[in-house]
Amino acid sequence: MAYDQTEFLLTQPLQSTLSENLARIRKIAEGSSDLLVNEFLLSGLPAALLCCEGMLSTAMITELILNPITQIQLPNPNGMQVLDFIQNRQLYSIDRAEADTYAKLFRFLNSGFAVLVVDGAAKALVFGIQGYDKRSVSEPSGENNVMGAKDGFIEVVRVNMSLLRRRMKTPQLKLELFVKGTKSQTDLCLCYMADRVPKQLIRQIKDRLDRMELETILSSGYVQPFLENRRRCFFDAVGATQRPDVLCAKLLEGRVGLLIDGTPFALVIPKLFCENFQTMDDYCFRPAYATLIRWIKYAAFLIATLLPALYLAIALHHPELLNHTLLLILAEAEENAPISLTAEAIGVLLVYEIIREAGLRLPKAVGGAVSIVAGLIIGDAAVSSGLISTPMLTVTAIAVIAGFVIPDLAQNITLLRLAFLLAGGFWGIFGISLLGSVVLFHLCSGEICGFPIMAPFSPFYPKGLRDTLTRVSFRKMQSGNFTVEDYHE
């Protein structure tokens, strides 16, 4: 019953009586300790300045609000005249707004605004003087680079907006701020270049966000499924980045970015599969070297996904593909193995995932040491005891290390590696080929908002190959403005 009453009060408009407004505000807050109510006389009228403890700067509220507001003296004023005078004649903060309902008042209050309520006025003035603690802008923990910028997004959406504006000073960059989440009231910011973004893309994304009904948004993972198609692709069609320079580059190609308050990641729509093999450093290196690095990444993806499966398929079903020396080495290594080769391969991969997860979740001071010690001790002991053969451990280690080259595909590689391993163990190279065809067909059929994620390979777009399989010079890339609209079906 109390919950229903609170929800009802939030929908009500502010009253013109200060005492009634304060009574309802305290009723909605229900004794919350961080609500601060400072009552005083404003030009002879009862007034109150509300704020949320820890969400604003006490020095700023004293200097910019309290000191000048107590000096206001108007002849025979009423509440609305005082608020109109402050709104039109005074400038206490740059970020100002009005609240006419209790829901709006609490949203501003809990976002770090100071709220002024005056007796005789059925509205409140809010002043943006946020001063809550936040992490400073620093190098992102992921997406490391050699020659690119060293700043990354943080958890405050307005700071992230400023990082984009510093790089893109054109008025064509639009930053639309709105609120989602019935309980969390989370700020989201839609970013796009008005002269580059396809109109149907921005319209579809806004429609999907409007249909999103969530109580709270605590990370980008809450929003991403609502942006993707209902028939989700195995590979992500919505990208994520911690780097402002990467997001700016995507916006210039006509994509849409989404910043979410409380998370240091920005979502990018749409994401193409080939972009998993691209980094910002590719555009700092010479084209020939960048092209070589990209080919290495494509090869690493195939090795990480297929190498254990191919080894298992050849050892069990196609030993004739090995030369005499390799066949003898394999036979000697597996002669005394107590379990089957398939079970051995699956066991090694699962043990690796356990060690990786343990190192990731433990505190940093011991996480790395645990991963190294566990890998060395378990690996050496398993080989020495004969539980695991040396060739299998070597093949698995090479595949795992190759997967580190493409961190954006780490989850997909882990699942595909196990799937191909089972296919190769049961049906040999035929099973691997069949599963590979299924994955390829699935990739080619994937799309988001009408944009195929396998472009420019499928459908084939020759001009797009200049920055996929190879990386041509900027002199060639600057000829003609490329946008993702060229890929639209």
Side-chain angles (χ1 to χ4, degrees), residues 425-440:
F426 285 113
W427 300 294
I429 293 181
F430 171 76
I432 295 175
S433 304
L434 183 61
L435 181 58
S437 301
V438 172
V439 172
L440 186 59

Side-chain angles (χ1 to χ4, degrees), residues 31 37 79 105 127 135 146 181 211 236-237 248 250 282 288 294 333 346 348 400 423 432 437 442 480:
V37 180
L105 184 147
F127 309 96
R135 183 169 60 91
V146 178
R211 294 195 301 266
D236 290 334
C248 287
K250 303 303 180 186
D282 292 351
R294 284 192 182 172
I346 294 175
V348 171
V400 167
I432 295 175
S437 301
H442 179 73

Side-chain angles (χ1 to χ4, degrees), residues 258-277:
L258 184 64
L259 302 174
I260 302 173
D261 191 36
T263 177
F265 291 90
L267 298 180
V268 183
I269 313 106
K271 178 185 179 181
L272 305 181
F273 179 72
C274 63
E275 292 173 345
N276 293 300
F277 306 91

